[in-house]
């Protein structure tokens, strides 16, 4: 049985904002939070159910502005909705593929993009994929809203820059002509290592190593030829767990970087 | 609805105090259900203990094994880790809803014909996952079936007959649509 809690169901963003606090926590799919509560790791006074807040559940292209054209992904968008969205599939095929592979089909139907980011379980496919695409999150709180790059949003295991009185509204992904790819090694519901790579039209390149350390490792290069898989393998700080010891994960990182680069170049699964 | 505290600003709030603090309205296999329940009750507890629909089983309790799969608004969910309060206003389908007037549906018959079950404990979950798959993709490839069902565990069959059963169910449905006998 879960520990006792109250259930609050706001119908708008402002209602949701006034309902959350240190002990009254945002709740949507429950794929992370309910498990943590059952394990006794979290004991909130109330779950603030965000599923009926329309502002949080939409996917749309936003034109103009200083940031250029961006894809907005509402925080309570499920992985399945992201994977099946026509705009996402068309303009961000890597992101659609990543969302289609999260956990299992039930987790994808229940779990949300915002939940995955805010819970900050380090073994996430979405975090390195979004960081590689230079995505940001929009947080709103009593003092107004702020925008934080995904790469800076995650501070550590289960730890983000979000304050308890802030809500994640959406993720914004810039629309740019890039080539991007993601590979992972997954022997349980969560990846042991994930590698995302993005190459811009001018050849500049970003590499993100996810799931291995407490937070994703983000590396920017002037060109893909500068990527040295063995150097990155030496730079990561692996957290050993049941899916592998530190030296094994270092080995995997180099293998998966080479695989990601080869698949990006050839378009074929290695 | 007396136990539902609706504040002046219209936010529905269910207090933690009291065993049956929250009232829900839902349909389960097409039947309208209204119940007062504890907010922390999971969907599978509601189905098995309140409604006595014991077809849905529980195994891992971690959303990993798929045994407890039911459909909520046509989406597969792990009912072991899904609040019963969250089916308020939504439609639930369980394995009990598949057969019509005691006659197994095409998917269930396909499972029997392909020997896609042995002990049967995982079968309700596989049937509901396969139902969700066939509703979104009526003619799935073997690869699609394997991908979609990869979050469901069976420790008896070795999976091959389950994949074959889903293929058979898809073909049977296509045959029925084409007017051929199933």
């Amino acid at each position: 049985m879960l520990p006792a809690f109250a259930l609050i169901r706001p119908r708008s963003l402002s209602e949701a904002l006034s309902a959350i606090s240190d002990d009254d926590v945002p709740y949507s799919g429950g794929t992370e939070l309910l498990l943590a509560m059952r394990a006794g790791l979290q004991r909130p006074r109330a779950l603030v159910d965000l599923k009926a807040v329309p502002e949080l559940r939409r996917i749309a292209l936003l034109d103009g502005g200083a940031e250029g054209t961006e894809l907005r992904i509402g925080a309570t968008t499920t992985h399945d909705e992201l994977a099946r969205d026509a705009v996402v599939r068309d303009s961000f095929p890597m992101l659609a593929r990543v969302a289609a592979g999260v956990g299992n089909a039930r987790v994808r139907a229940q779990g949300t993009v915002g939940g995955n980011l805010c819970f900050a379980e380090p073994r996430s496919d979405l975090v390195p994929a979004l960081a590689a695409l230079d995505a940001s999150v929009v947080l709103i709180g009593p003092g107004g809203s702020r925008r934080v790059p995904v790469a800076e949003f995650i501070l550590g295991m289960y730890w983000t820059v979000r304050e308890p009185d802030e809500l994640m509204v959406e993720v914004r992904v810039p629309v740019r002509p890039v080539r991007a790819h993601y590979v992972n090694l997954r022997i349980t519901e969560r990846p042991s290592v994930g590698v995302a790579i993005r190459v811009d039209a001018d050849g500049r390149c970003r590499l993100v190593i996810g799931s291995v350390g407490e937070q994703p490792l983000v590396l920017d290069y002037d060109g893909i030829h500068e990527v040295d898989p063995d150097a990155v393998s030496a730079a990561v700080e692996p957290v050993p767990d049941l899916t592998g010891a530190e030296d094994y994960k270092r080995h995997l990182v180099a293998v998966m970087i080479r695989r990601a680069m080869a698949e990006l170049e050839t378009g074929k699964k290695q | 609805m007396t136990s539902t505290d609706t504040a002046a600003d219209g936010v529905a709030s269910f207090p933690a105090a009291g065993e049956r603090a929250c009232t829900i309205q839902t349909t389960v296999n097409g039947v309208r259900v209204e119940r007062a329940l504890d907010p922390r009750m999971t969907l599978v507890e509601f189905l098995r203990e309140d409604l006595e629909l014991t077809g849905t089983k529980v195994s891992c309790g971690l959303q990993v094994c798929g045994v407890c799969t039911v459909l909520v608004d046509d989406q597969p969910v792990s009912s072991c880790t899904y609040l019963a309060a969250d089916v308020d206003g939504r439609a639930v389908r369980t394995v009990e809803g598949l057969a019509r007037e005691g006659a197994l549906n095409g998917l269930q018959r396909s499972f029997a014909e392909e020997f896609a079950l042995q002990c049967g404990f995982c079968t309700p979950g596989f049937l509901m996952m396969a139902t969700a798959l066939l509703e979104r993709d009526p003619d799935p490839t073997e690869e699609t079936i394997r991908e979609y069902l990869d979050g469901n565990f069976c420790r008896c069959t070795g999976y091959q007959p389950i994949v074959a059963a889903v293929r058979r169910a898809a073909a049977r449905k296509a045959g029925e649509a084409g007017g051929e006998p199933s």
Side-chain angles (χ1 to χ4, degrees):
Chain A
M1 194 72 150
L2 292 164
F5 57 85
L7 193 57
I8 299 171
R9 289 173 171 167
R11 299 271 164 191
S12 70
L13 196 54
S14 58
E15 285 177 3
L17 263 179
S18 48
I20 59 165
S21 72
D22 276 340
D23 297 320
D24 307 319
V25 302
Y27 161 74
S28 188
T31 56
E32 308 269 21
L33 182 58
L34 294 179
L35 291 179
M37 287 168 64
R38 186 182 284 142
L41 299 172
Q42 293 208 24
R43 205 183 171 98
R45 178 173 60 196
L47 303 187
V48 180
D49 183 4
L50 303 175
K51 288 194 281 294
V53 177
E55 296 96 320
L56 298 177
R57 196 161 196 153
R58 59 182 172 197
I59 302 178
L61 280 176
L62 180 73
D63 286 319
E67 309 291 342
T69 306
E70 292 180 310
L71 176 74
R72 306 165 70 165
I73 306 164
T76 60
T77 303
T78 66
H79 303 300
D80 190 51
E81 287 165 349
L82 184 62
R84 303 216 285 165
D85 185 85
V87 173
V88 177
R89 290 169 67 113
D90 188 47
S91 301
F92 304 89
M94 180 267 261
L95 193 55
R97 279 196 302 273
V98 168
V102 170
N104 58 49
R106 295 176 304 281
V107 169
R108 294 193 290 274
Q110 285 170 252
T112 66
V113 172
N116 190 289
L117 291 172
C118 288
F119 202 80
E121 150 69 62
R123 296 165 298 167
S124 162
D125 293 304
L126 272 184
V127 167
L130 287 170
L133 295 174
D134 207 14
S136 302
V137 304
V138 176
L139 302 171
I140 186 166
S145 72
R146 61 180 174 140
R147 192 182 160 110
V148 184
V150 168
E152 295 166 25
F153 177 71
I154 309 282
L155 293 176
M157 297 174 90
Y158 313 103
W159 184 28
T160 73
V161 303
R162 187 184 72 84
E163 298 293 338
D165 59 358
E166 283 184 308
L167 274 180
M168 180 184 288
V169 179
E170 60 196 16
V171 178
R172 294 197 183 181
V173 193
V175 179
R176 292 183 201 147
V178 300
R179 292 187 301 134
H181 193 56
Y182 177 78
V183 296
N184 69 4
L185 184 91
R186 212 187 79 175
I187 54 169
T188 68
E189 299 294 301
R190 301 183 194 275
S192 303
V193 54
V195 172
I197 188 165
R198 181 198 90 218
V199 180
D200 294 342
D202 64 7
R204 282 187 298 174
C205 164
R206 171 172 279 192
L207 183 72
V208 186
I209 314 300
S211 300
V212 172
E214 295 193 359
Q215 59 197 108
L217 179 65
V218 180
L219 300 160
D220 289 310
Y221 301 91
D222 287 331
I224 195 168
H225 59 277
E226 290 184 358
V227 175
D228 177 353
D230 295 319
V232 179
S233 167
V236 292
E237 296 177 33
V239 177
D241 62 17
L242 290 175
T243 70
E246 184 189 331
D247 56 348
Y248 174 67
K249 290 194 173 183
R250 276 192 201 287
H251 169 75
L252 275 184
V253 166
V255 170
M256 298 307 280
I257 292 171
R258 289 193 173 92
R259 191 172 293 179
M261 289 165 62
E263 291 188 7
L264 182 74
E265 291 309 314
T266 64
K268 289 186 192 142
K269 203 163 171 59
Q270 299 290 304
Chain B
M1 298 289 277
T2 50
S3 55
T4 304
D5 169 29
T6 303
D9 60 1
V11 181
S13 173
F14 300 116
E19 287 212 332
R20 299 268 159 176
C22 124
T23 305
I24 62 162
Q25 291 181 334
T26 180
T27 64
V28 179
N29 299 327
V31 178
R32 244 180 95 79
V33 178
E34 183 170 337
R35 279 285 197 292
L37 46 79
D38 187 325
R40 62 187 153 159
M41 181 179 255
T42 60
L43 179 55
V44 72
E45 288 166 345
F46 176 61
L47 293 170
R48 289 181 57 89
E49 292 162 28
D50 267 40
L51 304 185
E52 298 184 0
L53 293 172
T54 54
T56 304
K57 317 297 184 201
V58 179
S59 182
C60 74
L62 298 168
Q63 306 169 107
V64 169
C65 76
V67 162
C68 68
T69 305
V70 302
L71 307 188
V72 176
D73 281 355
D74 307 325
Q75 296 285 328
V77 306
S78 296
S79 60
C80 72
T81 316
Y82 190 98
L83 297 183
D86 275 350
V87 301
D88 188 23
R90 298 187 169 94
V92 183
R93 286 189 284 161
T94 71
V95 70
E96 287 90 346
L98 295 182
R100 286 278 170 270
E101 293 167 1
L104 300 182
N105 77 1
L107 178 64
Q108 290 171 305
R109 276 183 283 145
S110 300
F111 266 65
E113 289 157 6
E114 293 287 350
F115 297 95
L117 62 152
Q118 288 180 36
C119 86
F121 193 78
C122 70
T123 310
F126 270 104
L127 287 170
M128 298 319 288
M129 283 303 281
T131 298
L133 171 62
L134 293 171
E135 286 178 359
R136 69 157 69 188
D137 183 354
D139 187 23
T141 63
E142 180 171 332
E143 189 188 357
T144 302
I145 296 168
R146 287 182 183 278
E147 277 178 12
Y148 199 77
L149 298 182
D150 81 348
N152 286 62
F153 296 171
C154 172
R155 291 300 182 227
C156 304
T157 66
Y159 301 102
Q160 201 69 35
I162 293 173
V163 175
V166 179
R167 282 293 311 145
R168 179 188 278 248
R172 161 177 265 140
K173 190 97 179 173
E176 283 170 2
E180 294 164 27
S182 60

